[in-house]
Amino acid sequence: MRAPAIIEAKAVSKWYGQFHALKDINLTVRKGERIVICGPSGSGKSTLIRCFNRLEAHQVGDIVINGVALHGKMTNAAVRSNVGMVFQHFNLFPHMTVLMNCMAGPMWVKGVSAANARKTALRFLERVRIPEQANKFPIQLSGGQQQRVAIARSLCMEPAVMLFDEPTSALDPEMVSEVLETMTGLARDGITMVCVTHEMGFARAVADRVIFMDAGQIVEEGTPDEFFSRPRHDRTKLFLSQILKH
Amino acid sequence: MLYPDTVEAEILVHKPWFVATMFGVVLLLFMAFNMSGTSFAELMRPVIGEPSVSGLYGRFAIAFAIAVIFTLNVVLIGFAPLKFQIGIVWLELLLLFIAFFETFHLSLPFIREKLPFLISQGVVTTLYVSAISIVIASVIAVAGAVAKLSNNGFAFAIASFYTSFFRGLPLLMQVYLIYLGLPQLGFVINAVPAGILALSLCYGAYMTEIFRSGIQSIDRGQWEASRSMGFGFALTMRRIILPQALPVIIPPTGNQFISMLKDSSLVSVIGVWELMFLARTLGQKTFQHMEMLISAAMIYWMLSICLELIQSRIERHYHRSKVR
Ligand SMILES: Nc1ncnc2c1ncn2[C@@H]1O[C@H](COP(=O)(O)OP(=O)(O)OP(=O)(O)O)[C@@H](O)[C@H]1O
Ligand SMILES: [Mg+2]
């Protein structure tokens, strides 16, 4: 039997005013799957994954997250607490300690007791390998450490799926690998993840499927092996040649 | 503090040209005034003889002595560490101030007699009127700021009408309007509640703008991160946005609080027995206006200083998460 679908997008379209940002997107992400989305700038990658936790609203088509259909009149909070999101610029809460950043979600949304939230937080900080920074404020950490805290913060909600929007592209080169290692660790633990990234080494190593987007459409979709060795579309070939040149 | 450069600057007040200029300016300044009638001139009697007939020489000698004392004082303070410098300069300015009040020949026994009532009635009323108004104004400000930032047409219209109206009218007029106008509508309102209402509404309008700009200063990413954690609007506002906006909001709000404390004196016009009202009435019978006014002024000042201290404490608290 196949694993249950966590994300199901059917014929999704989205417009920003007149601009057609997502065109007829069909995508199913099953439990435990690791998806990497790539594509040129402005192709709608961020827009797509932001639709999955309703930071953006789609206008046409259906998105079902963990059995709940997203639409305009729902309360978004319930869906969002089930979908973890990691941003390019970390977006940690700067006025709270690292530990509190991680405890806040479980305490305020799920009503977990402070003691238990603390335990969970420390467990996940351990997992991203920075428990010793727990009582610092985010600004006292390096970029890579901040991003790992952001990952831990999302994990603390124990979401059904983790979304990553270019988690390493705001980092200095030497910090990229520590974040990628953390993410590889999560992938190994079987966490469902959808990851927008241009780190092709990461895609090759962990992705079950790579999705290539251009101009608001999914152009190509396949296993890393197919995708990198035998790209079918010219646009994919062009993109790969540009990104792998360096 | 300004973010200092690492260059070690020479101390300005020890530079010869600065000391010389300062000396010259003070000398000329005091030459221009005729100081021969003052008590300082009396002190100079051994040098200049009878002050009133000492003429130009006397003037020069007095100005010279003052210039020497002044310059020496500044140069010496220049050697002290920062904290002492601040303390000493404060103290000296204060002494000058007291010396200025000395010249009014105030009747201290009168002040001592009236002070307890001035405090027990006046200060207490002033304090509770402003404290209640500040709380209400802050609540109005949060609501007003949210309304002004919302995309609900009604909320925006009401909030912007409100801020425009109450910022546009003199506070004194608002006090009258509420005290004399509301009874026209059938609400008879006492002086104290009327005063509190006027102050709250007026300051709520100013603070709405302060809160709005504070909230707007927070990065969009914070809203998104908070939402993506599943926090609703109220939680996001209370736990994520407002706490971060506070460091931006607090300095101008502290200003408003201090200003409110003093503007509460305007409600004296409708007969609230607060500090200003008593200061004006207590001295009336015996024509000792100055005594009461200066006492009240000092009390206002001291209360403001308390608020300043509280403000700087809060600012220091919020500074924690900003240092590396
Ligand atoms: N709020 C918005 N209003 C109008 N247009 C938008 C908005 N957000 C994104 N767009 C447009 O939608 C398109 C897709 O944007 P999106 O951010 O999803 O691209 P992306 O693939 O994530 O690109 P990048 O690699 O630069 O992050 C872009 O052309 C962008 O200009
Ligand atoms: Mg993007």
Side-chain angles (χ1 to χ4, degrees):
Chain A
M1 198 186 107
R2 293 169 89 187
I6 303 287
I7 298 178
E8 263 189 299
K10 284 201 198 104
V12 171
S13 272
K14 167 164 185 65
W15 285 263
Y16 286 114
Q18 294 294 310
F19 179 71
H20 201 166
L22 294 180
K23 298 172 192 158
D24 190 31
I25 301 283
N26 289 290
L27 175 67
T28 304
V29 181
R30 297 191 175 277
K31 194 170 159 55
E33 263 193 313
R34 279 105 23 172
I35 310 288
V36 164
I37 302 178
C38 58
S41 182
S43 56
K45 308 177 297 287
S46 302
T47 307
L48 178 61
I49 68 168
R50 288 160 61 87
C51 282
F52 292 156
N53 69 349
R54 274 193 85 73
L55 283 181
E56 302 286 354
H58 63 287
Q59 281 104 18
V60 172
D62 300 308
I63 299 180
V64 179
I65 303 289
N66 214 13
V68 183
L70 306 189
H71 55 83
K73 294 199 178 69
M74 67 193 305
T75 17
N76 296 324
V79 172
R80 286 175 179 154
S81 63
N82 228 340
V83 180
M85 178 104 174
V86 175
F87 299 87
Q88 183 174 5
H89 296 286
F90 332 137
N91 296 350
L92 291 175
F93 305 131
H95 59 301
M96 305 198 274
T97 61
V98 163
L99 186 63
M100 200 53 212
N101 263 280
C102 295
M103 288 166 62
M107 277 169 68
W108 300 340
V109 177
K110 294 185 171 172
V112 174
S113 74
N116 283 338
R118 196 188 153 81
K119 244 182 272 166
T120 316
L122 285 173
R123 182 154 58 86
F124 283 110
L125 285 173
E126 195 93 44
R127 186 141 159 205
V128 299
R129 299 193 317 284
I130 33 175
E132 70 281 0
Q133 314 282 2
N135 292 312
K136 291 195 180 166
F137 284 99
I139 198 171
Q140 296 165 320
L141 271 52
S142 75
Q145 290 173 326
Q146 289 192 44
Q147 192 59 298
R148 284 187 282 150
V149 172
I151 293 173
R153 174 178 70 175
S154 290
L155 287 175
C156 282
M157 292 296 287
E158 307 192 339
V161 54
M162 287 284 286
L163 308 176
F164 293 84
D165 191 359
E166 306 203 27
T168 56
S169 52
L171 294 175
D172 289 341
E174 77 270 21
M175 294 174 187
V176 169
S177 63
E178 64 183 60
V179 171
L180 288 181
E181 269 165 39
T182 305
M183 289 168 60
T184 310
L186 298 184
R188 218 176 292 125
D189 295 343
I191 286 178
T192 316
M193 44 205 260
V194 178
C195 190
V196 174
T197 183
H198 292 152
E199 297 293 337
M200 291 302 141
F202 173 78
R204 229 186 255 278
V206 308
D208 295 313
R209 267 185 294 155
V210 180
I211 286 168
F212 175 71
M213 285 183 72
D214 192 17
Q217 282 170 313
I218 294 185
V219 174
E220 181 151 357
E221 185 174 347
T223 65
D225 197 37
E226 291 166 359
F227 184 79
F228 290 110
S229 325
R230 297 179 297 278
R232 290 190 299 268
H233 291 264
D234 291 342
R235 276 188 284 179
T236 319
K237 287 175 194 159
L238 181 66
F239 176 74
L240 284 175
S241 72
Q242 280 166 344
I243 205 162
L244 297 175
K245 212 160 32 189
H246 318 290
Chain B
M1 265 198 203
L2 304 176
Y3 187 60
D5 204 346
T6 48
V7 180
E8 286 190 23
E10 251 181 281
I11 298 172
L12 180 67
V13 296
H14 290 167
K15 286 183 182 158
W17 67 264
F18 185 84
V19 175
T21 316
M22 184 168 55
F23 185 85
V25 169
V26 176
L27 186 68
L28 285 178
L29 209 64
F30 280 88
M31 283 280 284
F33 293 114
N34 188 358
M35 302 281 289
S36 53
T38 62
S39 42
F40 189 81
E42 284 302 317
L43 286 176
M44 295 280 290
R45 190 180 279 272
V47 186
I48 58 173
E50 172 58 34
S52 53
V53 299
S54 61
L56 201 60
Y57 165 68
R59 269 195 183 203
F60 177 76
I62 291 169
F64 189 81
I66 291 177
V68 167
I69 293 172
F70 184 88
T71 311
L72 206 63
N73 176 42
V74 172
V75 171
L76 285 180
I77 290 175
F79 283 110
L82 184 69
K83 282 242 163 82
F84 279 96
Q85 281 180 357
I86 297 171
I88 294 171
V89 173
W90 253 87
L91 205 70
E92 287 184 348
L93 290 174
L94 200 64
L95 285 176
L96 283 180
F97 221 65
I98 292 172
F100 170 65
F101 283 138
E102 269 296 290
T103 60
F104 291 5
H105 302 292
L106 300 177
S107 151
L108 285 182
F110 180 75
I111 292 181
R112 217 168 297 140
E113 181 199 335
K114 299 290 186 191
L115 200 59
F117 184 61
L118 205 58
I119 290 178
S120 68
Q121 171 65 36
V123 173
V124 168
T125 310
T126 292
L127 275 183
Y128 87 71
V129 166
S130 8
I132 295 177
S133 308
I134 282 168
V135 172
I136 300 178
S138 307
V139 174
I140 294 178
V142 175
V146 170
K148 272 202 130 172
L149 292 173
S150 79
N151 42 20
N152 180 321
F154 288 104
F156 181 86
I158 292 171
S160 55
F161 185 87
Y162 159 71
T163 51
S164 163
F165 183 83
F166 281 94
R167 288 201 303 173
L169 261 59
L171 178 54
L172 186 59
M173 214 171 275
Q174 295 174 26
V175 173
Y176 278 129
L177 274 182
I178 287 173
Y179 186 56
L180 305 175
L182 280 187
Q184 302 281 323
L185 300 177
F187 301 104
V188 177
I189 188 165
N190 283 333
V192 171
I196 290 178
L197 193 60
L199 284 170
S200 313
L201 286 173
C202 179
Y203 276 83
Y206 284 105
M207 282 163 62
T208 293
E209 292 300 308
I210 296 175
F211 276 55
R212 181 186 58 76
S213 65
I215 291 171
Q216 270 183 321
S217 74
I218 304 303
D219 182 45
R220 208 174 68 125
Q222 291 294 312
W223 287 94
E224 294 186 344
S226 178
R227 284 193 185 138
S228 75
M229 296 290 292
F231 299 166
F233 176 78
L235 198 57
T236 301
M237 206 62 200
R238 195 159 50 90
R239 300 283 206 161
I240 306 298
I241 303 300
L242 280 181
Q244 290 185 64
L246 278 184
V248 185
I249 290 174
I250 283 172
T253 302
N255 252 346
Q256 294 292 312
F257 281 13
I258 289 171
S259 154
M260 149 102 75
L261 184 75
K262 293 170 295 160
D263 274 355
S264 68
S265 61
L266 286 177
V267 304
S268 65
V269 297
I270 52 176
V272 178
W273 282 32
E274 48 70 75
L275 190 50
M276 186 67 198
F277 182 85
L278 293 182
R280 277 192 298 142
T281 46
L282 286 180
Q284 238 158 23
K285 268 180 245 133
T286 47
F287 298 105
Q288 284 169 310
H289 294 290
M290 259 318 182
E291 274 81 355
M292 285 297 96
L293 286 182
I294 289 177
S295 308
M298 289 298 110
I299 293 174
Y300 274 121
W301 190 12
M302 274 186 277
L303 293 177
S304 301
I305 289 177
C306 291
L307 285 182
E308 277 171 26
L309 291 178
I310 294 173
Q311 180 187 339
S312 71
R313 272 203 85 112
I314 300 180
E315 277 181 35
R316 228 175 314 144
H317 174 81
Y318 282 110
H319 194 62
R320 279 179 322 157
S321 61
K322 296 224 174 110
V323 285
R324 283 196 140 239

